[in-house]
């Protein structure tokens, strides 16, 4: 039976690109900026990275770029003395063979776990049944050479929501060790982390929304942590929320008034700044990395078609001042940690 990843805070990191070469319509990887960001997060104490996930624009990368990205960051972590930092590899694909191949290439490049996104191309056409999805994930898990986490993110999968019955079934597979839930249904988080139908020692529940971390960690024994985009620039704050929440949970709430007040204040401020990601997604995360950390993210942040006008009109660069207060509040917390 596969071992689940350690509990904690994981960062789905953006992929950094060099300036856009219009003549060739290419934006090469910027591995220098990528490594700078990776080492910043490792120094902050994060548990692990997700590379080539949704925030990492996996669908905009070639298979060779995915492997190059993972290999370069694994090397940087080892050489920097952070070999304990876990790497999860996003494996977004629509077919079983390709997904299994991406997982194999990711392991060879240095990944420890596979974060497997729900296939969804025909979701709005009524092409998927619970039985079909169950068999798809089971086939991937049985042939994956990495332990698998199920990635349920309806916003990028044609609003396809994996049912509780399906998640409970998948949780029993010996090579499926957890899930990332990137949706606002806290009830599903609570049930999957609490139900006695799941062995919580081998199946861990991570929220993809940092604004849900405190309630998740107080919900049940299967609650593990967060895989959250805002931690790309405010990692220490989310780590502090995680540590305080785990302490409160272990003590059954028997902690000091000051600790309760601190975790509530941190979660509130963090949730306020999460509204930036709710509004702007991946491009917003990259804009915030540039603004908060001063790390180059490339022209307009992402790859085509993301970068087309991403900083113009009502995009994140134009809206920064409207969110400045929320960012400064968390930066104040971050600077004290």
């Amino acid at each position: 039976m596969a071992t689940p990843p350690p509990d904690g805070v994981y960062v789905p990191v953006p992929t950094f690109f060099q300036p856009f070469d219009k003549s060739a319509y290419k934006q090469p990887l910027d591995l220098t900026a990528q490594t700078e960001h990776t080492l910043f997060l490792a120094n902050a104490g994060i548990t692990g990275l997700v590379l080539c996930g949704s925030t990492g624009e996996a669908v905009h990368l070639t298979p060779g770029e995915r492997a190059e990205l993972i290999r370069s960051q694994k090397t940087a972590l080892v050489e920097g003395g952070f070999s304990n930092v876990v790497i999860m590899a996003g494996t977004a694909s629509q077919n079983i063979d390709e997904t299994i191949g991406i997982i194999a290439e990711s392991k060879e490049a240095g990944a420890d776990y596979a974060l497997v996104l729900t296939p969804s191309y025909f979701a709005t056409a009524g092409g998927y049944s619970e039985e079909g999805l169950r068999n798809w994930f089971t086939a991937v898990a049985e042939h994956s050479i990495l332990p698998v986490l199920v990635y349920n993110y309806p916003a990028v999968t044609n609003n396809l929501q994996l049912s509780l019955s399906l998640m409970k079934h998948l949780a029993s597979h010996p090579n499926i060790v957890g899930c990332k839930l990137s949706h606002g249904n806290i009830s599903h988080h609570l049930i999957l982390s609490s139900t006695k139908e799941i062995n919580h020692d081998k199946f861990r529940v991570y929220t993809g929304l940092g604004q849900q971390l405190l309630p998740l960690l107080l919900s049940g024994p299967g609650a593990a942590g967060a895989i959250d985009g805002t931690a790309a620039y405010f990692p220490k704050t989310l780590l502090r929320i995680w540590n305080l929440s785990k302490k409160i949970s272990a003590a059954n709430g028997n902690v000091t008034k000051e600790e309760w007040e601190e975790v509530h204040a941190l979660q509130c401020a963090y949730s306020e700044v999460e509204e930036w990601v709710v509004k702007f997604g991946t491009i917003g995360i990259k804009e915030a990395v540039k603004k908060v950390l001063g790390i180059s993210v490339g022209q307009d942040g992402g790859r085509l078609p993301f970068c087309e006008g991403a900083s113009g009109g009502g995009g994140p660069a134009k809206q920064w001042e409207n969110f400045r207060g929320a960012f400064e509040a968390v930066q104040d917390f971050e600077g004290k940690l």
Side-chain angles (χ1 to χ4, degrees):
M1 185 175 290
T3 302
D7 292 1
V9 170
Y10 292 76
V11 182
V13 296
T15 299
F16 298 92
F17 301 108
Q18 297 177 39
F20 181 50
D21 179 0
K22 188 173 182 179
S23 63
Y25 289 98
K26 288 185 178 180
Q27 293 158 281
L29 298 176
D30 187 343
L31 297 180
T32 300
Q34 196 81 48
T35 298
E36 181 183 359
H37 188 238
T38 289
L39 295 179
F40 161 77
L41 295 172
N43 274 295
I46 55 98
T47 311
L49 306 174
V50 174
L51 295 168
C52 308
S54 302
T55 301
E57 298 182 61
V59 295
H60 296 164
L61 303 177
T62 67
E65 286 175 326
R66 292 191 191 199
E68 181 183 10
L69 189 63
I70 294 169
R71 186 175 295 108
S72 67
Q73 299 316 292
K74 179 68 172 183
T75 299
L77 287 168
V78 171
E79 291 180 350
F82 299 107
S83 57
N84 62 314
V85 173
V86 175
I87 292 180
M88 294 182 187
T91 66
S93 175
Q94 296 296 311
N95 72 74
I96 294 169
D97 287 343
E98 185 174 59
T99 303
I100 293 168
I102 291 170
I103 292 171
E105 291 168 358
S106 299
K107 176 178 172 59
E108 189 277 331
D112 304 295
Y113 293 89
L115 187 62
V116 180
L117 185 67
T118 307
S120 59
Y121 187 87
F122 290 107
T124 57
Y128 300 125
S129 65
E130 182 159 322
E131 179 184 7
L133 290 167
R134 181 175 68 245
N135 291 336
W136 190 94
F137 273 108
T138 299
V140 170
E142 289 181 351
H143 292 88
S144 171
I145 61 174
L146 287 176
V148 167
L149 289 91
V150 176
Y151 186 13
N152 188 6
Y153 188 9
V156 298
T157 56
N158 277 321
N159 289 319
L160 182 60
Q161 173 70 272
L162 300 182
S163 70
L164 284 171
S165 60
L166 175 56
M167 293 297 293
K168 290 175 184 178
H169 178 86
L170 295 176
S172 68
H173 193 283
N175 200 35
I176 295 179
V177 296
C179 63
K180 177 186 179 185
L181 305 179
S182 291
H183 56 69
N185 192 335
I186 195 66
S187 176
H188 282 208
H189 289 70
L190 186 152
I191 292 168
L192 292 175
S193 63
S194 303
T195 177
K196 293 182 179 180
E197 297 175 63
I198 291 176
N199 176 1
H200 300 297
D201 289 334
K202 63 84 56 183
F203 185 85
R204 310 299 291 160
V205 178
Y206 298 86
T207 179
L209 305 173
Q211 57 267 55
Q212 295 178 338
L213 183 55
L214 173 58
L216 171 66
L217 291 177
L218 299 182
S219 68
I227 303 172
D228 174 67
T230 298
Y233 35 92
F234 291 140
K236 293 181 182 179
T237 303
L238 197 60
L239 281 163
R240 180 62 176 164
I241 294 170
W242 184 84
N243 280 303
L244 284 170
S245 301
K246 294 292 282 188
K247 181 177 181 179
I248 291 167
S249 178
N252 293 318
N254 187 23
V255 293
T256 68
K257 178 175 180 289
E258 289 75 19
E259 287 172 321
W260 269 115
E261 288 177 348
E262 181 184 358
V263 75
H264 283 144
L266 288 171
Q267 184 67 84
C268 181
Y270 199 87
S271 297
E272 289 274 9
V273 86
E274 284 274 11
E275 291 299 303
W276 173 264
V277 181
V278 172
K279 186 173 181 65
F280 296 114
T282 295
I283 293 297
I285 291 171
K286 297 181 90 167
E287 184 71 21
V289 166
K290 179 172 68 175
K291 287 283 200 303
V292 175
L293 304 181
I295 297 176
S296 172
V297 298
Q299 181 177 328
D300 286 334
R303 261 187 177 170
L304 287 170
F306 251 166
C307 68
E308 284 279 305
S311 295
K318 297 289 187 180
Q319 293 288 320
W320 181 257
E321 288 302 318
N322 295 336
F323 288 83
R324 182 180 290 277
F327 273 87
E328 288 178 347
V330 181
Q331 279 183 292
D332 184 57
F333 283 123
E334 191 86 1
K336 296 174 181 176
L337 293 172

